[in-house]
Amino acid sequence: MSSPDAPETADRLEAARLEKLHALEALGIDPWGARFDGHAPIREARDQCPAEQGAAGPPVRIAGRIMLRNNKGKLKFFHVQDWTGRIQLMCSKADFSEDQWKVIELLDLGDLIGVDGHLKLSNTGEKTIGVSQVTFLTKSLAQPPEKFHGAKDQELLLRQRSIDLIYNEGVLDRMLRRTKIIDSIRETLRARGFIEAETPVLHAVAGGAAARPFTTHHNALDIPLFLRIALELHLKRLMVGGVERVYEIGRVFRNEGVDSTHNPEFTMIELYQAYGNYETMMELTESLIANAALAANPPAASAAPAEPGRLILPWGAGQIDFTPPWPRRKYAELFREHAGCDIHDETGVAAAAQAHHIETAGKHPDVIINDLFEELVEPHLQGPVFVIDYPAAMCPLTKRKRSDPTIAERFELFIDGMELANAYTELNDPRLQEELFRTQLAGLKAEDSMATMDHDFVKALKIGMPPAGGLGIGIDRLVMLLTNSHSIRDVIYFPLLRPEHA
């Protein structure tokens, strides 16, 4: 016997659907539908349903996809779903002409239909539309695969994201919550006087972060170009030009690894506020994330136990308390606490690296310190916690502390050991910036994004950039945290996957 997934079985099922399509056409029905005005979202229709059985409900018009069907002779029941919810339909043969009933008998799972009828409670207490008219909107030629009901093959689902969105409960809702999170960020920034900008995706110099870029070539100009790895340097040019509060939410591209928290193409927000600093950015970060958490998890919808005055959301088997203000811990203190030595103790750092099997050959001491921090400290940062005051040598775009030029006014926000945000008091001294660029670039491999100085950016700084705070937040990671998702691929509509037959 053939498997339900065998090609011949799939062909047979599609042929049966084509037969129904031709039967619809013979009845004068366009199987691909047309404009269907005046329909209400199913969630709104459900809210209008009377609370008592036998009570006459209002007329309603909805549209959606058939998800379930149950034939009981002269009564047919369907469940129809749109992007707001699902509702039951009841069709009685007595209410339709012979041709109309033929149309109803030709309905398949996955078909899109429009419905007119009256709301009521069924005998079992289920909110139901007693159907008076069906409008055919689209014929589905693909049989809904049974494997998608509670499917476990995540890669298969991601390759067929349309089916994943339709048939796996919670997937579409999670992606719609992503939109609410981004909308909330925009609303918070708009209320604070920020304006949104769009900057180039193609860069002549890959800068603003340390990452390997994707390269391309512009044929007409015959020049190499890079897909942007950060939004920073163009947004700072806008600040030089007088745009004092500016942000961009955009895609950036880094030619690096793929795992549960990394995708080569991802979404981030970068913003800059003239006359602020990294402490300004900490307060702003708390507001942005707390507001987004509420937008994605309204109090009535939150599964976390109620605790007055606290913003607590589920995370895996535990919880995260997003209630501001969040703790602030110094980089050097955390390093000493978990690595057992001071960051300036070269012998101690080397011993710690050896003890934890971290390669040191050919590495700059600051790189070794950062490797140790990632290995020994970050897993303990349950957070939310701001890690502040990084070693200045690690931060070439950051202003130094006046009281200690070896410390940069920088923070990173960590939640459950995952870096979520990065912020600076921005360096606006063009002479120091040029010097730091040269120092950092020395000895870097040619493919490294920081191996080429952005001379145009230094020229812009010479015009005069105001003192400022700057912030970057990984949108995909934020959505993961606020929707209790544990892979970045779960919150990106179309994550990068290896070609199926590669």
Side-chain angles (χ1 to χ4, degrees):
M1 179 180 291
S2 298
S3 160
D5 299 322
E8 61 270 23
T9 303
D11 290 345
R12 177 173 54 78
L13 293 171
E14 184 169 325
R17 286 175 173 257
L18 281 169
E19 286 181 14
K20 291 185 178 181
L21 181 148
H22 297 320
L24 287 167
E25 290 176 327
L27 292 169
I29 304 295
D30 179 359
W32 308 116
R35 179 171 173 170
F36 189 72
D37 289 334
H39 61 283
I42 286 176
R43 181 184 294 130
E44 290 183 14
R46 290 179 60 86
D47 289 343
Q48 299 174 49
C49 189
E52 296 180 3
Q53 289 184 3
V60 68
R61 165 175 270 213
I62 60 98
R65 188 181 298 274
I66 299 174
M67 304 298 292
L68 292 172
R69 60 181 176 178
N70 184 11
N71 294 331
K72 293 187 176 180
K74 296 181 179 181
L75 282 179
K76 295 185 184 295
F77 292 89
F78 302 90
H79 282 194
V80 170
Q81 173 179 293
D82 71 3
W83 67 346
T84 70
R86 185 182 289 200
I87 196 166
Q88 178 173 263
L89 310 181
M90 185 182 75
C91 301
S92 172
K93 187 174 183 180
D95 296 331
F96 294 90
S97 69
E98 185 176 342
D99 281 352
Q100 289 173 334
W101 189 250
K102 286 180 181 178
V103 172
I104 291 170
E105 289 184 317
L106 292 169
L107 295 178
D108 271 322
L109 294 177
D111 289 351
L112 293 163
I113 59 172
V115 171
D116 290 277
H118 283 77
L119 287 159
K120 61 181 181 180
L121 282 183
S122 71
N123 293 335
T124 60
E126 185 167 357
K127 294 180 179 181
T128 302
I129 298 176
V131 179
S132 57
Q133 182 174 338
V134 171
T135 303
F136 208 92
L137 296 177
T138 298
K139 180 66 186 170
S140 174
L141 296 179
Q143 182 77 5
E146 287 299 321
K147 68 182 68 172
F148 282 94
H149 295 281
K152 301 300 182 186
D153 188 339
Q154 188 62 32
E155 185 154 324
L156 177 65
L157 297 173
L158 292 172
R159 289 188 187 283
Q160 301 188 45
R161 190 59 128 174
S162 300
I163 294 176
D164 191 22
L165 289 164
I166 294 168
Y167 293 103
N168 264 349
E169 187 176 356
V171 176
L172 178 57
D173 176 68
R174 181 169 63 239
M175 301 310 295
L176 296 177
R177 289 164 71 195
R178 176 190 174 103
T179 300
K180 291 179 180 178
I181 289 166
I182 295 173
D183 284 348
S184 171
I185 290 171
R186 286 191 165 104
E187 288 173 8
T188 300
L189 292 174
R190 191 178 303 117
R192 290 171 176 252
F194 283 81
I195 66 106
E196 186 170 8
E198 295 175 304
T199 63
V201 173
L202 293 173
H203 289 185
V205 175
R212 179 174 293 185
F214 288 93
T215 61
T216 186
H217 187 84
H218 192 287
N219 292 334
L221 297 179
D222 193 24
I223 57 172
L225 291 172
F226 306 92
L227 294 180
R228 64 187 180 189
I229 60 172
L231 312 174
E232 179 169 354
L233 300 184
H234 284 90
L235 291 175
K236 285 184 174 178
R237 286 170 168 87
L238 295 180
M239 256 205 316
V240 170
V243 185
E244 295 185 357
R245 298 190 179 202
V246 64
Y247 75 94
E248 181 173 6
I249 298 174
R251 304 292 268 182
V252 294
F253 309 85
R254 299 183 182 180
N255 197 354
E256 297 173 346
V258 178
D259 60 29
S260 63
T261 60
H262 294 86
N263 193 65
E265 176 185 3
F266 61 99
T267 303
M268 70 182 304
I269 178 173
E270 288 198 31
L271 63 89
Y272 296 90
Q273 179 176 335
Y275 315 116
N277 68 359
Y278 76 142
E279 292 179 336
T280 313
M281 295 298 102
M282 283 185 235
E283 186 276 328
L284 179 56
T285 301
E286 290 172 340
S287 294
L288 287 168
I289 294 177
N291 290 345
L294 286 170
N297 301 274
S302 176
E307 188 175 339
R310 310 300 296 179
L311 179 52
I312 300 173
L313 298 182
W315 178 244
Q319 296 175 334
I320 297 175
D321 187 347
F322 286 96
T323 311
W326 301 333
R328 304 178 183 188
R329 297 291 309 278
K330 292 184 177 180
Y331 184 100
E333 292 176 357
L334 286 167
F335 188 89
R336 189 181 307 113
E337 178 182 329
H338 294 281
C341 61
D342 191 275
I343 60 174
H344 303 297
D345 178 2
E346 293 185 11
T347 303
V349 168
Q354 183 177 10
H356 294 280
H357 309 290
I358 291 175
E359 181 62 45
T360 60
K363 286 186 179 179
H364 191 280
D366 293 322
V367 175
I368 298 171
I369 290 169
N370 190 60
D371 288 346
L372 278 168
F373 192 91
E374 291 180 355
E375 178 77 16
L376 302 180
V377 181
E378 290 183 8
H380 297 282
L381 301 176
Q382 294 307 300
V385 57
F386 292 116
V387 177
I388 67 172
D389 295 351
Y390 277 62
M394 298 180 183
C395 314
L397 297 171
T398 312
K399 187 168 284 188
R400 278 65 180 133
K401 277 188 170 294
R402 288 186 178 182
S403 59
D404 185 354
T406 68
I407 299 298
E409 292 191 350
R410 172 190 178 185
F411 77 73
E412 288 188 336
L413 172 65
F414 285 88
I415 302 178
D416 194 36
M418 179 168 60
E419 178 205 339
L420 186 64
N422 189 15
Y424 307 149
T425 299
E426 300 297 335
L427 182 60
N428 61 340
D429 178 345
R431 299 165 303 166
L432 180 56
Q433 180 66 87
E434 189 167 14
E435 177 188 337
L436 290 171
F437 267 151
R438 293 187 189 283
T439 302
Q440 186 183 38
L441 302 183
L444 286 183
K445 296 179 181 178
E447 68 267 21
D448 193 291
S449 65
M450 302 297 284
T452 304
M453 183 183 298
D454 190 336
H455 293 281
D456 286 342
F457 175 63
V458 175
K459 287 180 184 177
L461 286 185
K462 288 180 179 179
I463 297 170
M465 187 180 86
L471 169 67
I473 299 176
I475 295 294
D476 307 303
R477 292 184 180 182
L478 177 61
V479 175
M480 285 173 60
L481 286 161
L482 300 187
T483 62
N484 197 12
S485 305
H486 289 261
S487 171
I488 198 169
R489 302 197 304 179
D490 291 339
V491 298
I492 298 174
Y493 274 117
F494 300 103
L496 183 66
L497 300 169
R498 188 185 300 276
E500 199 165 3
H501 303 296

